[in-house]
Amino acid sequence: MSAAGTDHSPTSRADAERLRSALEVANIPTLLLVLAHLTGDERWLGRPYRPEQADPLGDNDTGGLPEHVQREVREAACQAIFEYERGDHDPARISVGRIAEMLSAVLAEEVPQEYGDLLAEELALVSRTVDVPPPPEGFRVVVIGAGMSGICMAVQLEQAGVDYVVLEKDEDLGGTWLENTYPGCGVDTPSHFYSFSFALNAEWSRYFPKRDEVFSYFSKVADSYAIRGRIRFSTEVIGADYDEPTATWRVRGRDADGTEFVLETPVLISAVGQVNRPQIPAIDGLDDFAGPVMHTAHWRPEVDLRGKRVAVIGTGASAMQLVPSIVDDAERVLVFQRTKQWAIPHPNYHREVPEAVRYLMERVPLYAGWYRLRTFWNFGDRLHEPLRIDPDWPHPERSINKANDRHRAFLTRHIERELGERTDLIDLCVPDYPPYVKRPLLDNGWFRTVARPDVDLIPDGVRALTADGVVTSSGVEHTVDVVVFATGFKILQFLWPMEIRGTGGSTLRETWGEDDARAYLGITVPGFPNFFIINGPNTFTGHGGSAIIATELEVRYTMQAVRRLVESDLASIEVREDVFRDYNKELDDALSQMIWSHGKTSTYYRNRAGRIVVTSPWKYVDYWARTKEFDPGDYEEISREAS
């Protein structure tokens, strides 16, 4: 993992040849960006070098350019890299507006100028680190959770020199990437995009990495920034109470041995994430089943599936990864499906990153940065507009607009191709709701797998378990040896089961209700001063992209709030009720125009009342603009003197 790269000055013929070999398999559009950046020569972004437009899901490795033009680009890149490594010149200075223009040239589509500042941050040309003046003596921040968002928060506190402690319920860091170890577990975001902007990783071995590699990445980030020593492992937070006279949070926790304790802190930050408490449906007979029963988030590796009849309950993201990964071991897999799922084929999903490309990314950090930036656009905001409902669209029962209807036709053809001769499964597999109403899934060979003769796709819910079987909602019993719940998480119950009690004695649960969490920018809530939520309600970008981007933006905003507390000698800041109310009205109005409000099927994005609680209606660039600067005018402030 490297942000600055390693010194590979071409002192030997072998070293030079290795670079040339790596460039032979490099992505041409990315090389053009590197060339323009290193040399400042604009011609590399015009004809005849400008790539042809291609499927944005793919990498467009050749750019659609003739072989002789590709050769010229690779040779010029080699020369420019050698010159840079020798110190002949520095990379060209690129204006913020120019970044969007450069991306537009190699993507053969317009990237709006408004993205310039955001792209500069993603390219690490502009830092998101927030400077904080020395806090008063005893000022110590408490962070709950050491998963992805907790690690990001800890790194920024460490960089700013603010004292802090992270309380983590597990025995190690990583959050969901520590807890989920089921076969096939991996990330459905491109690996180079699922990385912090301040800690690019040249070592990804797959374009969509599996669990072990993701966990290793976050562990390396923690070690690189020396935050591991600030984490209290095997320490669960029970709750926290705000004390108004002292403007402090009293955090109640429990150590591994059951000893309870209290920590006092002026600032409390929740970084517990959304996929952290498994959801197991209320099914009769759970304790009656004689064989192994497990949730994918609590996988039992000692359970041998060979020769077993395995029931998998659920057809969401974890099931889509799990079932194709165990089908060759099990005697038979029975998939219990309440809801059909759309699944997107991605050409890179099973593709390994060639060793030569990993070497190039490590040696030339600009290559890694520009490759990541192309992915940011292709996998991010360019996908937002097709998810906006066209109120005049004549076929709302099947799609929400013309583009969505094309996606439906494309994905339907994909399902039919994958099922092959199993035309009897088409009606069981093709959903009757628009694509993207639910979380978009990446196809891990799901449809080919359910078409196998040793897999049963059972279109029914589960009512009960018996000693040796599963009883469906229609009363049919299926004999099985192992039961696996692939039923997701308690996502709508934000921060559950912690009891966070603010001013006036009300808890977050009482303020929100069971499943209707709301926050200003997804971060702050009236009545809960100096309390910040990372990955809070309505911060998940349902149109695509990476959860890491929103996390970095929320962390920066929170760091700016900490700076405000310190530099203005404040005891507390609390979001104004009218600001909170106006924002959530604007948010709900925007969400009503997005695909997730379509009522044709259920989705964990919506609560029982139909309100969307999980996803954000904003493009990344919009959320970036909203969170870029902490506005004191949005908050009620109390000085330390007054308290």
Side-chain angles (χ1 to χ4, degrees), residues 165-183:
V165 62
V166 181
L167 305 180
E168 169 53 53
K169 65 179 174 61
D170 290 327
E171 71 280 1
D172 202 350
L173 53 75
T176 193
W177 298 112
L178 171 71
E179 296 168 356
N180 285 266
T181 60
Y182 61 86

Side-chain angles (χ1 to χ4, degrees), residues 228-491:
R228 192 180 290 270
R230 299 291 202 118
I231 306 172
R232 285 179 58 170
F233 293 110
S234 302
T235 302
E236 183 157 15
V237 172
I238 303 167
D241 304 284
Y242 187 71
D243 183 64
E244 291 187 65
T246 61
T248 57
W249 284 96
R250 293 173 54 83
V251 182
R252 294 174 282 112
R254 184 185 298 115
D255 288 328
D257 61 3
T259 302
E260 295 192 0
F261 63 87
V262 174
L263 287 180
E264 292 191 354
T265 177
V267 176
L268 179 60
I269 300 171
S270 169
V272 298
Q274 297 180 13
V275 288
N276 120 314
R277 300 286 181 171
Q279 172 73 48
I280 296 180
I283 293 175
D284 291 338
L286 275 176
D287 296 331
D288 297 336
F289 188 72
V293 178
M294 53 189 164
H295 191 281
T296 50
H298 293 159
W299 190 258
R300 294 167 53 186
E302 76 278 6
V303 176
D304 188 355
L305 301 183
R306 289 176 297 181
K308 300 293 197 305
R309 293 172 59 87
V310 181
V312 177
I313 301 172
T315 53
S318 56
M320 192 155 288
Q321 294 179 346
L322 172 71
V323 173
S325 303
I326 65 171
V327 69
D328 288 334
D329 289 334
E331 174 190 314
R332 192 166 202 84
V333 177
L334 295 82
V335 179
F336 293 86
Q337 170 185 273
R338 287 194 311 167
T339 308
K340 310 168 194 177
Q341 298 280 3
W342 294 106
I344 305 166
H346 196 293
N348 280 353
Y349 190 71
H350 293 104
R351 185 182 171 203
E352 294 185 353
V353 180
E355 189 279 331
V357 171
R358 300 200 299 272
Y359 169 77
L360 184 61
M361 287 188 171
E362 187 270 338
R363 179 164 176 171
V364 186
L366 280 180
Y367 181 89
W370 280 108
Y371 179 84
R372 181 179 186 274
L373 212 61
R374 289 178 65 242
T375 308
F376 165 85
W377 181 253
N378 282 334
F379 217 75
D381 278 1
R382 73 180 303 278
L383 305 176
H384 186 273
E385 191 59 30
L387 303 188
R388 188 181 299 278
I389 295 171
D390 177 356
D392 298 322
W393 179 244
H395 307 292
E397 75 287 351
R398 74 183 191 212
S399 53
I400 62 163
N401 56 40
K402 186 175 182 179
N404 188 243
D405 206 46
R406 287 198 303 268
H407 291 164
R408 180 187 182 89
F410 166 75
L411 294 174
T412 299
R413 290 193 299 271
H414 169 69
I415 293 172
E416 292 171 346
R417 283 194 303 269
E418 291 290 289
L419 291 176
E421 297 178 355
R422 292 296 306 272
T423 55
D424 59 304
L425 293 178
I426 290 176
D427 287 344
L428 296 184
C429 290
V430 176
D432 59 357
Y433 57 87
Y436 310 112
V437 170
K438 291 176 174 286
R439 178 190 175 191
L441 305 178
L442 294 184
D443 188 8
N444 185 38
W446 173 261
F447 302 108
R448 277 180 281 134
T449 299
V450 299
R452 289 174 50 142
D454 54 356
V455 175
D456 294 327
L457 182 60
I458 301 165
D460 206 350
V462 173
R463 188 176 72 196
L465 300 185
T466 63
D468 60 357
V470 174
V471 181
T472 65
S473 299
S474 57
V476 179
E477 182 171 357
H478 300 265
T479 301
V480 297
D481 304 302
V482 180
V483 173
V484 178
F485 286 98
T487 46
F489 299 85
K490 297 180 182 292
I491 289 180

Side-chain angles (χ1 to χ4, degrees), residues 64 116-117 168 198 240 376 440 447 557 560 587 623:
D117 289 298
E168 169 53 53
F198 55 83
F376 165 85
F447 302 108
Y557 183 88
Q560 291 174 346
L587 177 116
Y623 192 61

